[in-house]
């Protein structure tokens, strides 16, 4: 519970209606979309503008109160669990799209704007904001930026990072800085913009962003390629890229995933296939037509037993929408769904899928795998039950092995979900002890009182040294 | 001069031949491509591999000896001047292209590889490394990465940062870390890769990089658009982008620049034009043809008095090569050429070019302007004489005003050259005092002994506090 002094200071800044600490509110902000992580915060605070954010941060910094900035809480890494109490900062009053600049192809937005609204507003003027994380209908851009969210179009278009040109940031000391700008080139000092993208709210609060837009592609086509075995699907992915074609989307679903998605969406997906690739290309019509023809032929050369091109926009939309339901569909089957995102160089997808299968068998777990084959970003998803403690131990062991395997193959423990609390124990596998140490030093330099989203990404220097002292 | 103990330690690491401290060597590494900055180092050290780099850094960290990592010294911001003595680290033994991975579209290189060799090796297998800084024939990739070099293709393809997937870095404490990988997505911890891109060697030594390649565009076309006034050229740039066309290259040259380039290259450039746009588009033939037609028509709509499309590859190559000679051509006219790179949102190019003209007139200076119009990255270039102290004072005043104007217009003090010593006094204009302070804290956290390229980018925390104490 906040002490009365602090509580009154916060109310003086944001108004009484914007500080909530009744039980229902605390419960609502005690967890995010990650199973098995829950802690009550001391209060929810909803500042109305950057100046209020700054004032709130100053109070918290003075009193060493944890701040957890939170968008819609759709992250899957326990990135916004208030594990050390403190306040959860929400952005319901900061939902404005401030500007669309058609000459410079930028959009300036407040942190609380919904991702989907950004896509829609861009599309309305013939422009395109490519990042499309699975949760984009309800996720907020501030969260996307803090997690450097990915999505289905990463292969061709990159991730959130590639579309953030500038930020307004409230530093842990409460000072407000602007980074970057409407600039294609800017090398004035360290790249704070990219340091804050993906920093998971541990270095400050993002209040505003300048986003890069690109011209809307003229057309899009969608196809499914069906396989009797996983390796052939993986080889098709490699063959497409090796032929210098970069599709907009190149998704992989294993049979189990196709089955549950079909049960859920009922659109006639080919449940007989052991593996399915969902492939989209966008661009000028001539190029899309040529690429799709070439892709179809490469898939057949690599033992696809069928290739189905969507004949209408509706049919195409249905296929992509079905893929987007994978997580929801899987989560209907068992009480607990644990979705991971171990990522490997795309040439290693076959090896990784195979390893996941072997690890699942070893621990007798149900793990379905789907994901962004084109960028090597797989989502092995364990269907389990958090109440079964014995099984949960096995799940943890299995995922630890999956992370180790991914890193062995030149990959990473997380492609697009973030570290949060969930992968904190594994960060060293990818970043190395000295790499984690460098991150810790950056954290300490910018947030010496460790108020910003504590307990995420890595243990701070102080906690470490306390543990050494013990 | 290095003390004997240190000198012997360094020789023990890299061998006698790889430590040079005779006068000729010291003189050779006392300056880079930036006029008016020169200081002798204490020695040149050429490690043969990362382990030697690590060992050298450890010795320097222990003895608090400055290290200036240096590629070919082509930077224009006094980024590699050994202003506080110490050792200049060169990479002549680390010039290997370690791998081209055609499945993952990556190239792994050592820091000393020439940029041009990367482009050529990629092209040989039908792939493309887009960054093309003006000095790419002699610049080294380690330097490009440390300066986040740009070039003529920034508008469509981005800059060096956008093609660095992973780094091998020797930290200031001598530990070696690996960041990133052959991965389209990776959010495991802070984005150290992008923090080190453009860090100007102030946070450690880059020894190896994994670069992203893209498919080689199928075709390319080049045109010139000629104008009787600057504003019309600038409006054409805006019109092209506003029509959702992103050319590969969109360069601007004022009359003075065209004149000296023509005097130098003698290829029949239109010296009667007050402003010239050099425009390239690449991609599939249908798209290039359509875009070029549309661009030509937009230029004419915006008062281009002539549009000339290169009829052959040789002619196109001649035009681009001529543009690339601009700096060399200008530098023949006066003893000293000071090239700047104030950058603005592209919609502000007309305003910026006009302001540069007014500032030049105010101080009675000769400033030619050319640059990357498509990304708002202008190169106002002052032709002067460093021996004329009175004029140099005016030059400094003029450039300070240019930087201020660029920032006023939403731009930056440097688009692609870096801060170095040259723009250290101006960084706060763009980054703000609190932004610079955040950078200082990061620097101090990672390099507490301030051995890495001291005197660049900003004054360190310690120097600051010493000055406050005075």
């Amino acid at each position: 519970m906040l002490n009365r002094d602090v509580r009154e200071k916060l109310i003086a800044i944001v108004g009484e209606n914007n500080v909530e600490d009744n039980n229902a509110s605390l419960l609502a902000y005690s967890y995010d979309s990650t199973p098995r992580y829950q802690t009550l915060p001391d209060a929810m605070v909803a500042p109305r503008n950057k100046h209020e954010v700054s004032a709130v941060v100053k109070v918290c910094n003075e009193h060493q109160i944890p701040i957890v900035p939170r968008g819609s809480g759709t992250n899957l890494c326990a990135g916004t669990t208030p594990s050390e109490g403190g306040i959860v900062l929400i952005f319901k009053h900061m939902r404005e799209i401030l500007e669309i600049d058609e000459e410079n192809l930028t959009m300036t937005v407040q942190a609380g704007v919904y991702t989907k609204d950004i896509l829609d507003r861009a599309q309305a003027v013939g422009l395109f904001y490519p990042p499309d994380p699975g949760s984009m209908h309800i996720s907020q851009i501030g969260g996307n930026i803090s997690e450097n969210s990915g999505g289905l179009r990463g292969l061709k278009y990159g991730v959130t990072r590639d579309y953030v040109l500038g930020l307004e940031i409230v530093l842990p000391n409460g000072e407000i800085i602007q980074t970057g700008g409407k600039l294609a080139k800017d090398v004035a000092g360290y790249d704070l913009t990219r340091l804050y993208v993906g920093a998971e709210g541990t270095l400050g609060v993002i209040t505003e962003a300048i986003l890069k837009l690109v011209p809307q592609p003229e057309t899009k086509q969608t196809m499914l390629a069906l396989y009797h075995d996983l390796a052939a699907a993986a080889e098709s992915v490699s063959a497409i890229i090796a032929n210098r074609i970069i599709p907009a989307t190149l998704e992989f679903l294993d049979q189990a995933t196709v089955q549950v998605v079909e049960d859920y969406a009922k659109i006639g997906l080919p449940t007989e296939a052991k593996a399915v690739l969902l492939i989209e290309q966008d661009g000028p019509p001539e190029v899309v037509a040529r690429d799709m023809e070439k892709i179809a032929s490469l898939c057949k050369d690599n033992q696809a037993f069928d290739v189905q091109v969507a004949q209408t926009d509706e049919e195409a939309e249905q296929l992509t929408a079905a893929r987007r339901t994978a997580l929801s569909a899987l989560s209907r089957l068992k009480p607990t769904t644990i979705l991971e995102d171990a990522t490997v160089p795309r040439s290693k997808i076959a090896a990784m899928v195979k390893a996941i299968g072997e690890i699942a068998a070893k621990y007798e777990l149900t793990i379905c795998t789907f994901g962004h084959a084109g960028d090597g970003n797989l989502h092995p998803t364990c269907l389990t039950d958090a109440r079964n403690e014995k099984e949960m131990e096995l799940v943890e062991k299995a995922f630890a092995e999956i992370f180790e395997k991914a890193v062995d193959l030149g990959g990473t423990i997380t492609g697009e979900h973030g570290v949060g609390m969930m992968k904190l124990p594994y960060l060293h596998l990818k970043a190395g002890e000295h790499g984690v140490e460098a991150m810790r030093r950056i954290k300490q330099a910018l947030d010496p009182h460790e108020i910003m989203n504590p307990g995420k990404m890595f243990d701070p220097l102080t906690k470490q040294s306390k543990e050494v002292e013990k």
Side-chain angles (χ1 to χ4, degrees), chain A:
Chain A
M1 216 172 75
L2 295 178
N3 76 44
R4 186 185 287 183
D5 172 38
V6 169
R7 190 171 184 277
E8 278 171 12
K9 279 183 183 168
L10 293 174
I11 288 174
I13 295 165
V14 298
E16 197 147 13
N17 290 338
N18 292 313
V19 177
E20 295 180 12
D21 52 5
N22 60 69
N23 283 343
S25 288
L26 299 187
L27 198 63
Y29 296 105
S30 65
Y31 59 95
D32 55 32
S33 302
T34 323
R36 305 174 64 220
Y37 292 87
Q38 184 169 24
T39 319
L40 291 178
D42 295 312
M44 180 287 289
V45 177
R48 291 166 293 192
N49 54 58
K50 63 181 161 192
H51 303 294
E52 291 188 0
V53 174
S54 161
V56 167
V57 172
K58 281 181 179 169
V59 168
C60 291
N61 196 36
E62 186 191 339
H63 295 271
Q64 307 203 14
I65 295 167
I67 301 175
V68 181
R70 177 187 165 111
S72 299
T74 53
N75 76 83
L76 296 163
C77 65
T80 50
T81 313
S83 56
E84 306 189 9
I87 67 166
V88 172
L89 208 62
I90 70 161
F91 297 87
K92 64 179 177 181
H93 301 305
M94 296 172 69
R95 293 214 189 291
E96 211 177 326
I97 293 181
L98 301 168
E99 186 198 35
I100 299 184
D101 181 337
E102 293 193 48
E103 266 191 293
N104 292 304
L105 305 189
T106 61
M107 191 187 296
T108 306
V109 296
Q110 291 186 308
V113 172
Y114 291 112
T115 315
K116 184 62 167 49
D117 291 344
I118 294 169
L119 273 84
D120 290 345
R121 284 289 292 278
Q123 192 167 15
V125 294
L127 292 172
F128 186 36
Y129 176 74
D132 62 342
S135 56
M136 67 178 181
H137 285 268
I138 52 165
S139 68
Q140 295 170 33
I141 189 66
N144 285 183
I145 293 170
S146 285
E147 299 291 340
N148 189 13
S149 303
L152 274 64
R153 292 193 275 252
L155 168 62
K156 183 170 181 175
Y157 288 102
V159 294
T160 300
R161 180 189 62 230
D162 302 303
Y163 296 88
V164 180
L165 293 176
L167 291 173
E168 182 182 82
I169 299 163
V170 177
L171 297 172
N173 62 9
E175 300 297 345
I176 302 172
I177 64 169
Q178 319 282 342
T179 71
K182 294 179 180 176
L183 297 166
K185 291 176 175 170
D186 177 21
V187 292
Y190 297 151
D191 192 345
L192 296 181
T193 308
R194 275 86 193 177
L195 177 63
Y196 274 82
V197 174
E200 302 188 4
T202 65
L203 298 177
V205 183
I206 291 166
T207 49
E208 224 175 274
I210 301 173
L211 304 174
K212 171 182 165 175
L213 305 174
V214 296
Q216 182 75 34
E218 292 173 66
T219 53
K220 187 164 78 172
Q221 274 195 38
T222 306
M223 71 164 70
L224 291 183
L226 318 181
Y227 297 85
H228 288 309
D229 79 298
L230 295 171
E235 276 155 25
S236 296
V237 171
S238 289
I240 293 166
I241 311 289
N243 273 271
R244 314 287 184 250
I245 300 173
I246 311 288
T249 294
L250 187 36
E251 295 287 304
F252 166 86
L253 297 92
D254 69 5
Q255 189 168 28
T257 309
V258 173
Q259 183 68 58
V260 295
V261 169
E262 175 57 21
D263 288 349
Y264 183 81
K266 297 199 173 50
I267 57 168
L269 288 178
T271 53
E272 73 280 16
K274 284 264 185 290
V276 172
L277 294 179
L278 168 70
I279 306 167
E280 282 190 349
Q281 183 57 304
D282 61 11
E286 313 88 322
V287 178
V288 171
R290 200 173 50 183
D291 282 357
M292 290 304 270
E293 200 176 313
K294 182 84 186 160
I295 291 169
S297 129
L298 288 166
C299 289
K300 284 177 194 156
D301 290 351
N302 283 279
Q303 299 171 36
F305 69 83
D306 196 11
V307 170
Q308 306 169 354
V309 179
Q311 297 304 313
T312 63
D313 286 353
E314 292 72 45
E315 200 184 322
E317 185 47 43
Q318 235 179 13
L319 290 175
T320 332
R323 155 63 186 87
R324 285 187 184 280
T325 65
L327 175 56
S328 319
L330 288 166
S331 66
R332 292 164 73 227
L333 300 188
K334 283 280 193 92
T336 307
T337 314
I338 300 180
L339 177 74
E340 269 310 331
D341 76 327
T343 300
V344 292
R346 76 173 71 86
S347 62
K348 303 294 184 190
I349 288 171
M352 191 67 214
V353 172
K354 186 160 167 278
I356 292 169
E358 288 164 3
I359 293 166
K362 174 174 164 190
Y363 291 103
E364 298 181 357
L365 296 168
T366 307
I367 300 184
C368 300
T369 296
F370 62 99
H372 318 302
D375 42 45
N377 181 202
L378 293 172
H379 291 310
T381 303
C382 187
L383 309 183
T384 179
D385 184 342
R387 293 162 301 189
N388 181 342
E389 282 179 28
K390 215 169 151 191
E391 183 158 296
M392 292 317 293
E393 274 177 35
L394 298 179
V395 171
E396 280 188 17
K397 281 186 188 163
F399 276 116
E401 279 190 30
I402 287 174
F403 299 146
E404 277 168 28
K405 183 70 187 178
V407 173
D408 276 355
L409 291 171
T412 182
I413 58 166
T414 173
E416 58 180 11
H417 291 172
V419 179
M421 296 175 72
M422 195 168 179
K423 282 184 229 177
L424 183 150
Y426 307 105
L427 181 60
H428 67 99
L429 291 178
K430 171 63 178 72
E433 296 297 348
H434 297 298
V436 175
E437 182 64 18
M439 294 178 197
R440 273 195 193 101
R441 291 190 180 283
I442 292 168
K443 164 77 174 173
Q444 197 195 31
L446 295 175
D447 180 20
H449 296 146
E450 290 158 20
I451 60 165
M452 289 307 313
N453 206 8
K456 313 306 184 311
M457 211 182 268
F458 42 72
D459 291 324
L461 276 175
T462 49
K463 184 166 175 189
Q464 269 213 314
S465 45
K466 275 178 209 150
E467 276 168 11
V468 172
E469 279 162 23
K470 278 178 204 166

